Amino acid sequence: MFALSSSLNYQLYLPGTDMRKSFDGLCGLALGELGHSPLDGSVYIFINKARNKVKLLHWQSGGFVLYYKRLEGGTFELPKYDASVGVLQLDYTQLVMLIDGVAITNIARRKRYEKAC
């Protein structure tokens, strides 16, 4: 079963990505540019320079899953970031908002109860 959930880590690769890259090319970016193993269970998010296409790469039990979305109109809005940083960590809510076209730059997160482990 293909599934994304709030229990996963989401890494947004910030430079514009060539969307001709598939599994191996995106794994190469995660490993070579970010220094992260694409087998670590994180979901790696890649957006093209025009910001109208996004790919999510995720390792799941024995193989990679690649999610791909192309917008027919509009663009994905990236959060503000320091240009020297190559990756931003997002949570599941931010990912969903990014994919759905909601601006995540000015969102203020309200305090919530968190159970201590």
mmCIF file of all heavy atoms in Angstrom, residues 56-88:
data_model
loop_
_atom_site.group_PDB
_atom_site.id
_atom_site.type_symbol
_atom_site.label_atom_id
_atom_site.label_comp_id
_atom_site.label_asym_id
_atom_site.label_seq_id
_atom_site.Cartn_x
_atom_site.Cartn_y
_atom_site.Cartn_z
ATOM 1 N N LEU A 56 7.936 13.286 -5.237
ATOM 2 C CA LEU A 56 8.240 12.824 -3.889
ATOM 3 C C LEU A 56 8.817 11.422 -3.999
ATOM 4 O O LEU A 56 8.200 10.538 -4.606
ATOM 5 C CB LEU A 56 6.982 12.782 -3.023
ATOM 6 C CG LEU A 56 6.419 14.098 -2.524
ATOM 7 C CD1 LEU A 56 5.801 14.904 -3.627
ATOM 8 C CD2 LEU A 56 5.425 13.859 -1.421
ATOM 9 N N LEU A 57 9.988 11.223 -3.442
ATOM 10 C CA LEU A 57 10.671 9.930 -3.473
ATOM 11 C C LEU A 57 10.659 9.341 -2.071
ATOM 12 O O LEU A 57 11.067 9.996 -1.112
ATOM 13 C CB LEU A 57 12.116 10.117 -3.950
ATOM 14 C CG LEU A 57 12.977 8.865 -4.033
ATOM 15 C CD1 LEU A 57 12.498 7.962 -5.160
ATOM 16 C CD2 LEU A 57 14.435 9.237 -4.220
ATOM 17 N N HIS A 58 10.181 8.103 -1.956
ATOM 18 C CA HIS A 58 10.068 7.466 -0.650
ATOM 19 C C HIS A 58 10.420 5.984 -0.756
ATOM 20 O O HIS A 58 9.928 5.286 -1.642
ATOM 21 C CB HIS A 58 8.628 7.631 -0.145
ATOM 22 C CG HIS A 58 8.399 7.073 1.213
ATOM 23 N ND1 HIS A 58 7.226 6.465 1.580
ATOM 24 C CD2 HIS A 58 9.185 7.020 2.308
ATOM 25 C CE1 HIS A 58 7.303 6.069 2.834
ATOM 26 N NE2 HIS A 58 8.482 6.381 3.303
ATOM 27 N N TRP A 59 11.266 5.532 0.151
ATOM 28 C CA TRP A 59 11.601 4.118 0.237
ATOM 29 C C TRP A 59 10.565 3.430 1.111
ATOM 30 O O TRP A 59 10.316 3.832 2.244
ATOM 31 C CB TRP A 59 12.985 3.931 0.853
ATOM 32 C CG TRP A 59 13.338 2.499 1.088
ATOM 33 C CD1 TRP A 59 13.241 1.810 2.263
ATOM 34 C CD2 TRP A 59 13.824 1.568 0.126
ATOM 35 N NE1 TRP A 59 13.645 0.515 2.086
ATOM 36 C CE2 TRP A 59 14.011 0.335 0.785
ATOM 37 C CE3 TRP A 59 14.124 1.644 -1.228
ATOM 38 C CZ2 TRP A 59 14.476 -0.800 0.136
ATOM 39 C CZ3 TRP A 59 14.594 0.517 -1.868
ATOM 40 C CH2 TRP A 59 14.769 -0.688 -1.190
ATOM 41 N N GLN A 60 9.928 2.383 0.580
ATOM 42 C CA GLN A 60 8.956 1.610 1.342
ATOM 43 C C GLN A 60 9.220 0.128 1.128
ATOM 44 O O GLN A 60 9.269 -0.320 -0.013
ATOM 45 C CB GLN A 60 7.522 1.898 0.873
ATOM 46 C CG GLN A 60 6.936 3.166 1.378
ATOM 47 C CD GLN A 60 5.464 3.290 0.997
ATOM 48 O OE1 GLN A 60 5.008 2.699 0.041
ATOM 49 N NE2 GLN A 60 4.747 4.078 1.755
ATOM 50 N N SER A 61 9.398 -0.574 2.187
ATOM 51 C CA SER A 61 9.565 -2.031 2.214
ATOM 52 C C SER A 61 9.918 -2.687 0.888
ATOM 53 O O SER A 61 9.068 -3.226 0.201
ATOM 54 C CB SER A 61 8.316 -2.703 2.799
ATOM 55 O OG SER A 61 7.189 -2.407 2.028
ATOM 56 N N GLY A 62 11.174 -2.597 0.541
ATOM 57 C CA GLY A 62 11.680 -3.333 -0.609
ATOM 58 C C GLY A 62 11.747 -2.566 -1.913
ATOM 59 O O GLY A 62 12.159 -3.122 -2.925
ATOM 60 N N GLY A 63 11.374 -1.300 -1.931
ATOM 61 C CA GLY A 63 11.462 -0.550 -3.182
ATOM 62 C C GLY A 63 11.082 0.913 -3.013
ATOM 63 O O GLY A 63 10.545 1.319 -1.991
ATOM 64 N N PHE A 64 11.404 1.676 -4.034
ATOM 65 C CA PHE A 64 11.090 3.099 -4.024
ATOM 66 C C PHE A 64 9.705 3.350 -4.594
ATOM 67 O O PHE A 64 9.260 2.658 -5.511
ATOM 68 C CB PHE A 64 12.108 3.894 -4.859
ATOM 69 C CG PHE A 64 13.418 4.087 -4.172
ATOM 70 C CD1 PHE A 64 14.523 3.352 -4.548
ATOM 71 C CD2 PHE A 64 13.542 5.016 -3.145
ATOM 72 C CE1 PHE A 64 15.731 3.521 -3.914
ATOM 73 C CE2 PHE A 64 14.753 5.193 -2.503
ATOM 74 C CZ PHE A 64 15.852 4.453 -2.884
ATOM 75 N N VAL A 65 9.040 4.356 -4.044
ATOM 76 C CA VAL A 65 7.774 4.857 -4.567
ATOM 77 C C VAL A 65 8.032 6.285 -5.011
ATOM 78 O O VAL A 65 8.669 7.064 -4.294
ATOM 79 C CB VAL A 65 6.657 4.831 -3.495
ATOM 80 C CG1 VAL A 65 5.367 5.399 -4.039
ATOM 81 C CG2 VAL A 65 6.462 3.429 -2.967
ATOM 82 N N LEU A 66 7.556 6.630 -6.193
ATOM 83 C CA LEU A 66 7.738 7.980 -6.726
ATOM 84 C C LEU A 66 6.360 8.573 -7.002
ATOM 85 O O LEU A 66 5.598 8.050 -7.808
ATOM 86 C CB LEU A 66 8.566 7.934 -8.015
ATOM 87 C CG LEU A 66 9.002 9.260 -8.598
ATOM 88 C CD1 LEU A 66 9.916 10.010 -7.638
ATOM 89 C CD2 LEU A 66 9.725 9.031 -9.923
ATOM 90 N N TYR A 67 6.042 9.649 -6.298
ATOM 91 C CA TYR A 67 4.798 10.390 -6.517
ATOM 92 C C TYR A 67 5.135 11.585 -7.397
ATOM 93 O O TYR A 67 6.153 12.236 -7.195
ATOM 94 C CB TYR A 67 4.212 10.894 -5.194
ATOM 95 C CG TYR A 67 3.924 9.814 -4.185
ATOM 96 C CD1 TYR A 67 4.858 9.455 -3.226
ATOM 97 C CD2 TYR A 67 2.698 9.159 -4.181
ATOM 98 C CE1 TYR A 67 4.588 8.474 -2.285
ATOM 99 C CE2 TYR A 67 2.422 8.172 -3.241
ATOM 100 C CZ TYR A 67 3.378 7.839 -2.301
ATOM 101 O OH TYR A 67 3.114 6.866 -1.379
ATOM 102 N N TYR A 68 4.282 11.916 -8.344
ATOM 103 C CA TYR A 68 4.562 12.992 -9.298
ATOM 104 C C TYR A 68 3.284 13.783 -9.537
ATOM 105 O O TYR A 68 2.237 13.207 -9.801
ATOM 106 C CB TYR A 68 5.057 12.370 -10.604
ATOM 107 C CG TYR A 68 5.555 13.321 -11.673
ATOM 108 C CD1 TYR A 68 5.976 14.604 -11.389
ATOM 109 C CD2 TYR A 68 5.610 12.900 -12.991
ATOM 110 C CE1 TYR A 68 6.446 15.446 -12.391
ATOM 111 C CE2 TYR A 68 6.082 13.730 -14.005
ATOM 112 C CZ TYR A 68 6.496 15.010 -13.686
ATOM 113 O OH TYR A 68 6.958 15.838 -14.678
ATOM 114 N N LYS A 69 3.377 15.108 -9.400
ATOM 115 C CA LYS A 69 2.224 15.957 -9.677
ATOM 116 C C LYS A 69 2.654 17.097 -10.585
ATOM 117 O O LYS A 69 3.677 17.737 -10.354
ATOM 118 C CB LYS A 69 1.632 16.530 -8.390
ATOM 119 C CG LYS A 69 0.398 17.403 -8.663
ATOM 120 C CD LYS A 69 -0.335 17.779 -7.399
ATOM 121 C CE LYS A 69 -1.597 18.549 -7.753
ATOM 122 N NZ LYS A 69 -2.425 18.796 -6.574
ATOM 123 N N ARG A 70 1.840 17.346 -11.629
ATOM 124 C CA ARG A 70 2.065 18.462 -12.547
ATOM 125 C C ARG A 70 0.850 19.376 -12.463
ATOM 126 O O ARG A 70 -0.286 18.934 -12.637
ATOM 127 C CB ARG A 70 2.225 17.959 -13.969
ATOM 128 C CG ARG A 70 2.455 19.084 -14.974
ATOM 129 C CD ARG A 70 2.490 18.574 -16.367
ATOM 130 N NE ARG A 70 1.123 18.202 -16.769
ATOM 131 C CZ ARG A 70 0.841 17.535 -17.873
ATOM 132 N NH1 ARG A 70 1.804 17.123 -18.666
ATOM 133 N NH2 ARG A 70 -0.401 17.245 -18.185
ATOM 134 N N LEU A 71 1.095 20.650 -12.204
ATOM 135 C CA LEU A 71 0.009 21.620 -12.167
ATOM 136 C C LEU A 71 -0.305 22.073 -13.583
ATOM 137 O O LEU A 71 0.591 22.362 -14.356
ATOM 138 C CB LEU A 71 0.399 22.840 -11.321
ATOM 139 C CG LEU A 71 0.664 22.596 -9.836
ATOM 140 C CD1 LEU A 71 1.100 23.894 -9.175
ATOM 141 C CD2 LEU A 71 -0.551 22.017 -9.152
ATOM 142 N N GLU A 72 -1.571 22.145 -13.911
ATOM 143 C CA GLU A 72 -1.985 22.654 -15.220
ATOM 144 C C GLU A 72 -2.018 24.173 -15.231
ATOM 145 O O GLU A 72 -2.005 24.792 -16.286
ATOM 146 C CB GLU A 72 -3.354 22.080 -15.595
ATOM 147 C CG GLU A 72 -3.335 20.582 -15.805
ATOM 148 C CD GLU A 72 -2.376 20.141 -16.896
ATOM 149 O OE1 GLU A 72 -2.251 20.822 -17.931
ATOM 150 O OE2 GLU A 72 -1.730 19.091 -16.707
ATOM 151 N N GLY A 73 -2.071 24.776 -14.063
ATOM 152 C CA GLY A 73 -2.025 26.229 -13.936
ATOM 153 C C GLY A 73 -1.519 26.581 -12.551
ATOM 154 O O GLY A 73 -1.740 25.855 -11.591
ATOM 155 N N GLY A 74 -0.807 27.693 -12.432
ATOM 156 C CA GLY A 74 -0.278 28.118 -11.138
ATOM 157 C C GLY A 74 1.049 27.464 -10.809
ATOM 158 O O GLY A 74 1.621 26.723 -11.611
ATOM 159 N N THR A 75 1.534 27.764 -9.615
ATOM 160 C CA THR A 75 2.826 27.250 -9.168
ATOM 161 C C THR A 75 2.750 26.831 -7.701
ATOM 162 O O THR A 75 1.849 27.245 -6.977
ATOM 163 C CB THR A 75 3.938 28.324 -9.299
ATOM 164 O OG1 THR A 75 3.586 29.465 -8.509
ATOM 165 C CG2 THR A 75 4.162 28.736 -10.737
ATOM 166 N N PHE A 76 3.712 26.012 -7.304
ATOM 167 C CA PHE A 76 3.877 25.672 -5.897
ATOM 168 C C PHE A 76 4.625 26.823 -5.235
ATOM 169 O O PHE A 76 5.621 27.302 -5.769
ATOM 170 C CB PHE A 76 4.688 24.384 -5.727
ATOM 171 C CG PHE A 76 4.000 23.169 -6.284
ATOM 172 C CD1 PHE A 76 4.458 22.579 -7.449
ATOM 173 C CD2 PHE A 76 2.912 22.619 -5.640
ATOM 174 C CE1 PHE A 76 3.841 21.460 -7.964
ATOM 175 C CE2 PHE A 76 2.280 21.494 -6.155
ATOM 176 C CZ PHE A 76 2.746 20.915 -7.316
ATOM 177 N N GLU A 77 4.132 27.262 -4.085
ATOM 178 C CA GLU A 77 4.809 28.339 -3.366
ATOM 179 C C GLU A 77 5.736 27.738 -2.327
ATOM 180 O O GLU A 77 5.286 27.019 -1.428
ATOM 181 C CB GLU A 77 3.800 29.265 -2.688
ATOM 182 C CG GLU A 77 4.486 30.424 -2.013
ATOM 183 C CD GLU A 77 3.509 31.444 -1.460
ATOM 184 O OE1 GLU A 77 2.353 31.482 -1.908
ATOM 185 O OE2 GLU A 77 3.917 32.194 -0.566
ATOM 186 N N LEU A 78 7.016 28.051 -2.461
ATOM 187 C CA LEU A 78 8.001 27.545 -1.513
ATOM 188 C C LEU A 78 8.060 28.452 -0.300
ATOM 189 O O LEU A 78 7.883 29.665 -0.422
ATOM 190 C CB LEU A 78 9.380 27.478 -2.162
ATOM 191 C CG LEU A 78 9.512 26.545 -3.363
ATOM 192 C CD1 LEU A 78 10.913 26.621 -3.923
ATOM 193 C CD2 LEU A 78 9.182 25.124 -2.970
ATOM 194 N N PRO A 79 8.341 27.884 0.882
ATOM 195 C CA PRO A 79 8.524 28.732 2.061
ATOM 196 C C PRO A 79 9.796 29.559 1.915
ATOM 197 O O PRO A 79 10.695 29.204 1.151
ATOM 198 C CB PRO A 79 8.640 27.732 3.208
ATOM 199 C CG PRO A 79 8.955 26.429 2.586
ATOM 200 C CD PRO A 79 8.472 26.471 1.180
ATOM 201 N N LYS A 80 9.864 30.673 2.619
ATOM 202 C CA LYS A 80 11.087 31.486 2.605
ATOM 203 C C LYS A 80 12.201 30.685 3.269
ATOM 204 O O LYS A 80 11.976 29.988 4.252
ATOM 205 C CB LYS A 80 10.859 32.793 3.342
ATOM 206 C CG LYS A 80 9.869 33.696 2.655
ATOM 207 C CD LYS A 80 9.772 35.026 3.352
ATOM 208 C CE LYS A 80 8.617 35.826 2.863
ATOM 209 N NZ LYS A 80 8.723 36.495 1.656
ATOM 210 N N TYR A 81 13.410 30.819 2.707
ATOM 211 C CA TYR A 81 14.531 30.056 3.233
ATOM 212 C C TYR A 81 15.828 30.781 2.944
ATOM 213 O O TYR A 81 15.898 31.651 2.086
ATOM 214 C CB TYR A 81 14.565 28.648 2.626
ATOM 215 C CG TYR A 81 14.736 28.635 1.114
ATOM 216 C CD1 TYR A 81 16.005 28.600 0.543
ATOM 217 C CD2 TYR A 81 13.641 28.673 0.271
ATOM 218 C CE1 TYR A 81 16.165 28.600 -0.821
ATOM 219 C CE2 TYR A 81 13.795 28.670 -1.102
ATOM 220 C CZ TYR A 81 15.053 28.633 -1.643
ATOM 221 O OH TYR A 81 15.209 28.640 -3.006
ATOM 222 N N ASP A 82 16.862 30.401 3.673
ATOM 223 C CA ASP A 82 18.214 30.908 3.470
ATOM 224 C C ASP A 82 18.806 30.170 2.270
ATOM 225 O O ASP A 82 18.786 28.940 2.227
ATOM 226 C CB ASP A 82 19.032 30.653 4.728
ATOM 227 C CG ASP A 82 20.467 31.141 4.630
ATOM 228 O OD1 ASP A 82 20.860 31.674 3.576
ATOM 229 O OD2 ASP A 82 21.194 30.989 5.623
ATOM 230 N N ALA A 83 19.316 30.920 1.294
ATOM 231 C CA ALA A 83 19.826 30.314 0.058
ATOM 232 C C ALA A 83 20.996 29.354 0.300
ATOM 233 O O ALA A 83 21.257 28.480 -0.519
ATOM 234 C CB ALA A 83 20.236 31.400 -0.922
ATOM 235 N N SER A 84 21.694 29.494 1.415
ATOM 236 C CA SER A 84 22.835 28.613 1.687
ATOM 237 C C SER A 84 22.391 27.231 2.189
ATOM 238 O O SER A 84 23.191 26.310 2.248
ATOM 239 C CB SER A 84 23.770 29.253 2.717
ATOM 240 O OG SER A 84 23.123 29.358 3.966
ATOM 241 N N VAL A 85 21.136 27.105 2.535
ATOM 242 C CA VAL A 85 20.604 25.830 3.017
ATOM 243 C C VAL A 85 20.121 25.031 1.808
ATOM 244 O O VAL A 85 19.428 25.547 0.955
ATOM 245 C CB VAL A 85 19.432 26.074 3.996
ATOM 246 C CG1 VAL A 85 18.822 24.762 4.443
ATOM 247 C CG2 VAL A 85 19.881 26.887 5.174
ATOM 248 N N GLY A 86 20.473 23.775 1.738
ATOM 249 C CA GLY A 86 20.092 22.960 0.591
ATOM 250 C C GLY A 86 18.784 22.218 0.755
ATOM 251 O O GLY A 86 18.196 21.753 -0.205
ATOM 252 N N VAL A 87 18.318 22.110 2.004
ATOM 253 C CA VAL A 87 17.112 21.321 2.269
ATOM 254 C C VAL A 87 16.356 21.928 3.441
ATOM 255 O O VAL A 87 16.950 22.490 4.349
ATOM 256 C CB VAL A 87 17.488 19.839 2.554
ATOM 257 C CG1 VAL A 87 18.268 19.703 3.833
ATOM 258 C CG2 VAL A 87 16.278 18.944 2.559
ATOM 259 N N LEU A 88 15.040 21.844 3.373
ATOM 260 C CA LEU A 88 14.182 22.244 4.486
ATOM 261 C C LEU A 88 13.401 21.034 4.959
ATOM 262 O O LEU A 88 12.920 20.246 4.144
ATOM 263 C CB LEU A 88 13.167 23.306 4.048
ATOM 264 C CG LEU A 88 13.634 24.720 3.853
ATOM 265 C CD1 LEU A 88 12.469 25.588 3.398
ATOM 266 C CD2 LEU A 88 14.233 25.288 5.119
#
